[in-house]
């Protein structure tokens, strides 16, 4: 059974005292990083800084001047979703109704025994969903051993009959 921990991105967290300018620079250096967790000294997550929301803050009028010197603890989402790595993808999707899944698109924190492990993003949600559907199809015997299935070869054209030959 696919677990949430199977789809986590191992992204280095930042400390609560990390300045907004440093977080901004990280997002600039790491274009594929969609969210950065803020983690305390004990390894427990405190919140999440989502790239788009953070970048919009910094891009606003006086944004850089206002937020560059603020600590990450004041810039993070303190209510970011948290998922245990050992949670099955199926249970995870059931726990978040269709309306709440949208909230996960901004990212969620993945923990193991309460300690920060990594970040999950919309891509991991899609991957976990695909793995879950693949598993269900295999259980039903509908999933082929190889994917994608082989393409059917086109039939060779029928040989013309002598009566259709031109003279």
């Amino acid at each position: 059974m696919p677990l949430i921990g199977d789809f986590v991105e191992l992204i280095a967290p930042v400390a609560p005292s990390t300045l907004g300018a440093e977080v901004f620079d990280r997002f600039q250096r790491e274009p594929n990083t969609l969210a950065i967790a803020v983690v305390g000294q004990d390894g427990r997550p405190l919140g999440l800084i989502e790239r788009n929301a953070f970048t919009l803050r910094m891009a606003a009028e006086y944004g850089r001047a206002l937020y560059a010197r603020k600590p990450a603890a004041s810039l993070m989402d303190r209510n970011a979703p948290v998922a245990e790595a050992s949670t099955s993808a199926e249970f995870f999707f059931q726990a978040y109704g269709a309306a709440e899944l949208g909230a996960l698109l901004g990212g969620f924190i993945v923990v193991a025994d309460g300690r920060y492990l990594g970040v999950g993003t919309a891509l991991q949600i899609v991957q976990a969903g695909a793995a879950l559907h693949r598993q269900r199809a295999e259980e039903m015997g509908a999933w082929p051993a190889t994917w994608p299935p082989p393409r059917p070869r086109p039939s060779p054209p029928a040989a013309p009959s002598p009566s259709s030959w031109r003279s």
Side-chain angles (χ1 to χ4, degrees), residues 1-6 83-89 91-92 110-113 117:
M1 173 154 294
L3 304 176
I4 291 301
D6 297 338
E84 181 65 38
S86 61
T87 303
S88 75
F91 180 79
F92 183 73
V110 180
V111 297
D113 297 321
L117 183 64

Side-chain angles (χ1 to χ4, degrees), residues 69-108:
R69 293 194 174 118
K70 293 224 182 229
S74 67
L75 303 170
M76 68 185 182
D77 175 3
R78 296 177 188 277
N79 299 314
V82 177
E84 181 65 38
S86 61
T87 303
S88 75
E90 183 172 17
F91 180 79
F92 183 73
F93 288 130
Q94 288 173 353
Y96 287 92
E100 295 172 321
L101 278 176
L104 296 175
L105 296 179
F108 56 96

Side-chain angles (χ1 to χ4, degrees), residues 59-162:
E61 189 173 359
Y62 307 113
R64 191 147 174 101
L66 288 171
Y67 301 116
R69 293 194 174 118
K70 293 224 182 229
S74 67
L75 303 170
M76 68 185 182
D77 175 3
R78 296 177 188 277
N79 299 314
V82 177
E84 181 65 38
S86 61
T87 303
S88 75
E90 183 172 17
F91 180 79
F92 183 73
F93 288 130
Q94 288 173 353
Y96 287 92
E100 295 172 321
L101 278 176
L104 296 175
L105 296 179
F108 56 96
I109 300 168
V110 180
V111 297
D113 297 321
R115 304 246 186 247
Y116 175 75
L117 183 64
V119 172
T121 63
L123 176 61
Q124 282 76 35
I125 292 172
V126 170
Q127 289 173 333
L132 184 60
H133 288 296
R134 185 178 305 119
Q135 179 192 12
R136 286 184 178 161
E138 286 172 352
E139 289 170 357
M140 293 175 9
W143 195 262
T146 60
W147 189 257
R151 288 184 169 174
R153 290 192 175 148
S155 306
S161 66

Side-chain angles (χ1 to χ4, degrees), residues 10-16 18 26 35-40 43 45 47 116-119:
L10 304 175
I11 296 172
V14 295
T18 302
R26 257 236 10 234
I36 298 174
V38 179
V39 175
Y116 175 75
L117 183 64
V119 172

